[in-house]
Amino acid sequence: MIQITLPDGSIKEFPKGINAIDVAKSISEGLARNVISAKFNEKTIETTTALNENGSLTLYTFNEPEGKKAFWHSSAHVLAQAITSFYPNVKLTIGPAIDNGFYYDVDLGDDTISEKDFIDIENKMLEFARGKHEFKMREVSKQDALNLYKSQNNQYKVELIENLNDGEITFCDHSDFTDLCRGGHIPNTSLIKAVKITSAAGAYWRGDEKNNQLTRIYGISFPKQKMLTEYLELLEEAKKRDHRKLGKELELFAFSAKVGQGLPLWLPKGAALRERLENFLKKAQKKAGYEMVVTPHIGQKELYVTSGHYAKYGEDSFQPIKTPKEDEEFLLKPMNCPHHCEIYNNKPYSYKELPKRFAEFGTVYRYEQSGELHGLTRVRGFTQDDAHIFCTPDQLDTEFKAVIDLVLYVFKSLSFENFTAQVSLRSKEKSDKYIGSDENWEKAENAIINAAKEKGLDYVVEYGEAAFYGPKLDFMVKDALGRSWQLGTIQVDYNLPERFDLNYKGADNQLHRPVMIHRAPFGSMERFIAVLLEHTGGKFPLWLTPEQVIILPISEKYQIYAEKVLHLLENSEIRALVDDRNEKTGRKIRDAEMNKIPFMLIVGEQEENEGLVSVRKQGEGDLGTFTINEFISKINNEINSTLEKF
Ligand SMILES: [Zn+2]
Ligand SMILES: [Zn+2]
């Protein structure tokens, strides 16, 4: 018999050789029907893999990311099978599962695949899927693996295999189709009930522009037709909310090929919006005891060698900047932390002066391949709402809670209600890759879990997801379409204080290492504004939106009165403008609605005579007439109700 530990901590005995599906059956038939993948001792296994030792087992259904991964990975095999049936000379390369679906990179030689072929591929995939073929893993020797792909003249797979060690090479067979694969499949193909090929695009082998160009075929699949229909509807809605489209329409930001790819240009309205967001956070941070600092956009290469960032970003990012002086090299900063460590090092601290909280809206630069760039979410230069807290290990608890309070305040003020948190801890097994003492790790991990609990966060704990330098807490926000985005992050760091030799004098008069916390509630201004755009569809909270009010005189005669209303609003710090175009009122209202301006004030003869405004709310319609002062208090009340006090 072997002992299997389940995620709830319960331990059950099973005969040696049992598999994941049978363990599921022992829990419930319903679960067994839905289980599509499993992990044993943190390693992905097949649902049919015989379990021969004690260990912990996690079962996944399509509802979990791990389940989806197995489902889409398996679907990629079926996609490759379908492509091979249409193009017998195709050379398959790699085909991983991604966040939403899967792709396969193929070398089609002189052939091409275009949108009109998609339906045939989908139908062929479904035909194969209906065959209810099991995915079976088998070990192969390196020589046999090479022989197979050499016989197919597939230099890509040969290259992959050459980089593998004999004894760790496996093939997956299903039906009469074989592929090089590490495993992690659903039980059989018949679970794939709905398939959509979403696009085909060029991609270089290993992402390197010097290599052959391949065709990347993207698809997505589901265990139910209804899920595909819903997904496609969501996709349509997402297109409308695409931040790149909205950013252009609302004149927030632009890109210029001359300036360079991935380098956003903030237009006046977007820059003003950013400034409001920054001021909002600065105000809250000030109350929370942060001090603003400013550091340069570059630093000596040596600085990043010390911090370890050069090893991480150096080769693969922007190359060092040379100066006329020999051997002098600077780097565009990929992170603000090293600079802040040196600010801490500027003077000695006693424990009584800690914590120190240094904040900066710091712009950083990281090279991303042009194919990876995406609107404001993947860029080459971005500004983090960064801060570093230097504290004693005993202060970690309080500091962590205070940072969570700040993050929650930010999310609430921006109406992000649907968020979850992930606590990333050390893996339970191997602990040698982590820097810092066990005692400190324990302290930090407990501090994070306690803080998450006490603040009532909806959180999951992931073992083995911590960085080597410390545990962390990430906030994931769901946008209006249910898509998850990682935004705010709080990370404990034992590494940089070590590397920069940071210390403080303790009560015992000895020098001690402070703990460092990295935190960014927005993450980056670029990414945050992108997510906010997609979350709100461009309808920002009233306190943040570029124009809060538009005044619409019904004819030129009321222009002067409109200007008077404008001045009164501006005196009360309300952002307003007058639509003085020679257009019909109906047209002006439609345009204001489309530009998502929250309030429209219509002014004509009656309004001018009685000192009134007729108020329309965007998306809601007529609210009736108000005196100007009444309207000003109404709008201020609304702002205050979303922007609570911190
Ligand atoms: Zn596979
Ligand atoms: Zn940092």
Side-chain angles (χ1 to χ4, degrees):
M1 300 294 272
I2 53 167
Q3 291 188 327
I4 302 283
T5 311
L6 295 165
D8 63 2
S10 66
I11 298 172
K12 286 189 165 189
E13 286 221 327
F14 292 99
K16 203 169 168 181
I18 190 158
N19 64 32
I21 291 283
D22 288 330
V23 172
K25 269 188 194 147
S26 81
I27 299 168
S28 86
E29 280 292 334
L31 179 64
R33 268 197 304 279
N34 288 312
V35 163
I36 54 173
S37 80
K39 266 190 185 175
F40 189 60
N41 291 337
E42 293 188 33
K43 253 184 72 189
T44 300
I45 55 164
E46 302 295 303
T47 51
T48 50
T49 301
L51 309 178
N52 292 320
E53 53 183 340
N54 296 344
S56 49
L57 180 71
T58 315
L59 304 168
Y60 300 104
T61 68
F62 190 77
N63 291 331
E64 282 98 25
E66 285 294 336
K68 285 191 175 75
K69 193 174 159 195
F71 197 88
W72 289 332
H73 166 84
S74 307
S75 302
H77 280 288
V78 182
L79 169 62
Q81 184 187 15
I83 294 169
T84 309
S85 78
F86 288 116
Y87 307 88
N89 295 322
V90 66
K91 291 175 190 170
L92 301 171
T93 71
I94 55 159
I98 51 176
D99 282 354
N100 276 301
F102 51 90
Y103 67 77
Y104 216 113
D105 281 351
V106 296
D107 183 346
L108 292 164
D110 295 332
D111 282 318
T112 52
I113 285 182
S114 67
E115 237 177 294
K116 61 180 187 345
D117 306 312
F118 291 178
I119 182 95
D120 290 337
I121 298 173
E122 289 161 10
N123 287 334
K124 187 56 90 179
M125 283 179 71
L126 288 172
E127 182 193 317
F128 287 142
R130 281 192 295 271
K132 201 174 180 180
H133 305 290
E134 284 176 23
F135 292 95
K136 290 185 183 134
M137 297 296 293
R138 73 180 144 101
E139 274 180 37
V140 282
S141 71
K142 190 165 181 171
Q143 199 50 55
D144 286 350
L146 287 173
N147 287 346
L148 175 75
Y149 286 108
K150 278 182 180 161
S151 74
Q152 297 176 2
N153 289 319
N154 185 333
Q155 70 270 32
Y156 309 101
K157 294 280 190 193
V158 167
E159 190 181 319
L160 292 173
I161 294 164
E162 271 165 356
N163 287 316
L164 296 172
N165 296 322
D166 209 356
E168 61 173 33
I169 300 167
T170 45
F171 279 172
C172 172
D173 302 312
H174 79 275
S175 164
D176 58 357
F177 186 80
T178 295
D179 205 346
L180 174 69
C181 170
R182 262 188 240 121
H185 304 96
I186 58 177
N188 68 68
T189 57
S190 75
L191 297 165
I192 303 167
K193 294 278 202 278
V195 173
K196 181 85 189 162
I197 300 300
T198 46
S199 64
Y204 293 101
W205 168 236
R206 292 190 181 273
D208 189 334
E209 290 166 30
K210 291 193 252 358
N211 289 339
N212 281 356
Q213 191 168 36
L214 308 168
T215 305
R216 177 168 296 178
I217 302 160
Y218 286 97
I220 192 160
S221 57
F222 293 94
K224 283 183 186 145
Q225 181 62 41
K226 190 168 152 260
M227 293 166 105
L228 174 61
T229 311
E230 282 169 4
Y231 173 78
L232 294 176
E233 281 167 10
L234 214 63
L235 219 56
E236 266 315 299
E237 186 57 34
K239 265 188 207 157
K240 282 187 224 152
R241 288 170 172 263
D242 189 321
H243 76 274
R244 295 169 299 179
K245 177 174 169 281
L246 288 170
K248 200 170 182 177
E249 285 169 9
L250 300 174
E251 294 179 33
L252 299 178
F253 59 87
F255 288 91
S256 144
K258 265 210 176 97
V259 171
Q261 283 189 306
L263 300 170
L265 303 175
W266 289 89
L267 307 176
K269 280 186 197 177
L273 181 103
R274 244 178 95 135
E275 197 184 6
R276 276 192 292 283
L277 271 174
E278 289 187 8
N279 288 342
F280 154 75
L281 186 59
K282 275 182 192 165
K283 212 167 137 188
Q285 280 180 173
K286 201 169 177 187
K287 281 190 184 153
Y290 289 79
E291 298 168 286
M292 293 301 293
V293 295
V294 178
T295 65
H297 289 235
I298 62 173
Q300 285 202 85
K301 182 180 158 188
E302 207 44 47
L303 175 71
Y304 306 104
V305 172
T306 302
S307 69
H309 292 123
Y310 187 74
K312 188 166 179 220
Y313 297 103
E315 298 275 288
D316 300 326
S317 193
F318 292 106
Q319 296 303 294
I321 303 162
K322 306 240 186 244
T323 71
K325 198 177 153 199
E326 213 182 321
D327 292 338
E328 197 172 46
E329 288 186 309
F330 291 88
L331 219 62
L332 282 169
K333 76 173 163 191
M335 296 279 244
N336 301 303
C337 346
H339 295 249
H340 291 190
C341 285
E342 282 303 287
I343 287 182
Y344 181 89
N345 256 345
N346 181 52
K347 66 172 227 188
Y349 290 105
S350 107
Y351 70 100
K352 287 185 203 146
E353 292 166 286
L354 298 186
K356 294 304 291 180
R357 308 180 190 89
F358 299 136
E360 174 177 22
F361 286 86
T363 306
V364 295
Y365 302 89
R366 296 176 201 166
Y367 182 76
E368 299 272 0
Q369 301 254 4
S370 59
E372 303 287 319
L373 297 171
H374 182 86
L376 290 182
T377 54
R378 280 302 267 291
V379 287
R380 288 174 174 168
F382 56 94
T383 304
Q384 295 178 312
D385 55 323
D386 215 353
H388 296 98
I389 299 170
F390 301 89
C391 64
T392 70
D394 291 334
Q395 290 169 332
L396 207 54
D397 217 41
T398 320
E399 286 307 304
F400 225 90
K401 280 177 199 153
V403 178
I404 293 180
D405 281 338
L406 185 65
V407 173
L408 295 183
Y409 167 69
V410 167
F411 286 179
K412 203 168 171 208
S413 301
L414 290 153
S415 314
F416 281 119
E417 276 118 23
N418 265 330
F419 61 86
T420 52
Q422 178 178 318
V423 176
S424 300
L425 307 180
R426 282 175 300 179
S427 83
K428 282 176 180 166
E429 272 83 43
K430 14 176 203 335
S431 62
D432 51 330
K433 70 167 186 176
Y434 302 103
I435 184 164
S437 71
D438 274 349
E439 191 200 341
N440 277 342
W441 268 85
E442 213 127 283
K443 232 178 217 169
E445 293 186 337
N446 287 334
I448 295 180
I449 292 173
N450 285 340
K453 252 190 216 147
E454 192 175 302
K455 298 296 169 191
L457 297 183
D458 171 12
Y459 69 96
V460 290
V461 175
E462 292 288 347
Y463 291 94
E465 289 291 308
F468 76 92
Y469 53 78
K472 59 178 179 167
L473 177 65
D474 291 318
F475 289 87
M476 257 75 74
V477 189
K478 282 238 166 92
D479 69 13
L481 304 175
R483 292 172 303 180
S484 223
W485 298 84
Q486 200 220 303
L487 289 176
T489 176
I490 318 176
Q491 304 193 7
V492 178
D493 189 345
Y494 293 111
N495 179 43
L496 287 184
E498 206 62 52
R499 283 174 171 262
F500 281 89
D501 193 20
L502 308 184
N503 52 52
Y504 66 91
K505 197 171 265 179
D508 57 1
N509 243 344
Q510 303 291 310
L511 289 181
H512 298 270
R513 284 262 180 266
V515 188
M516 189 171 171
I517 302 174
H518 310 250
R519 49 104 278 190
F522 294 145
S524 86
M525 301 309 287
E526 284 71 12
R527 197 183 169 85
F528 190 81
I529 290 171
V531 175
L532 193 60
L533 269 169
E534 304 208 352
H535 179 72
T536 59
K539 225 176 130 174
F540 293 113
L542 187 56
W543 67 268
L544 182 64
T545 199
E547 280 118 5
Q548 296 164 317
V549 178
I550 186 160
I551 304 158
L552 315 176
I554 61 170
S555 82
E556 262 173 60
K557 276 203 323 212
Y558 309 105
Q559 184 68 22
I560 294 171
Y561 180 60
E563 298 288 340
K564 185 184 154 197
V565 175
L566 176 70
H567 288 308
L568 290 171
L569 294 178
E570 282 177 346
N571 285 343
S572 299
E573 287 182 21
I574 291 163
R575 294 185 291 280
L577 76 164
V578 176
D579 184 350
D580 56 6
R581 293 176 304 163
N582 199 4
E583 293 283 357
K584 292 222 165 65
T585 309
R587 171 71 194 272
K588 290 183 179 180
I589 291 175
R590 272 199 307 280
D591 288 348
E593 285 278 344
M594 218 192 72
N595 288 325
K596 306 192 167 65
I597 300 174
F599 289 102
M600 290 153 250
L601 305 184
I602 298 147
V603 294
E605 188 172 357
Q606 193 209 342
E607 285 82 7
E608 176 165 7
N609 289 342
E610 298 175 31
L612 300 173
V613 288
S614 287
V615 181
R616 265 186 86 89
K617 194 162 186 192
Q618 199 256 355
E620 287 177 29
D622 197 13
L623 299 185
T625 52
F626 290 70
T627 68
I628 298 168
N629 281 337
E630 277 168 359
F631 175 70
I632 290 173
S633 21
K634 176 183 168 51
I635 192 168
N636 280 331
N637 283 342
E638 268 191 47
I639 290 171
N640 290 337
S641 73
T642 46
L643 196 58
E644 279 174 46
K645 291 262 172 311
F646 178 64

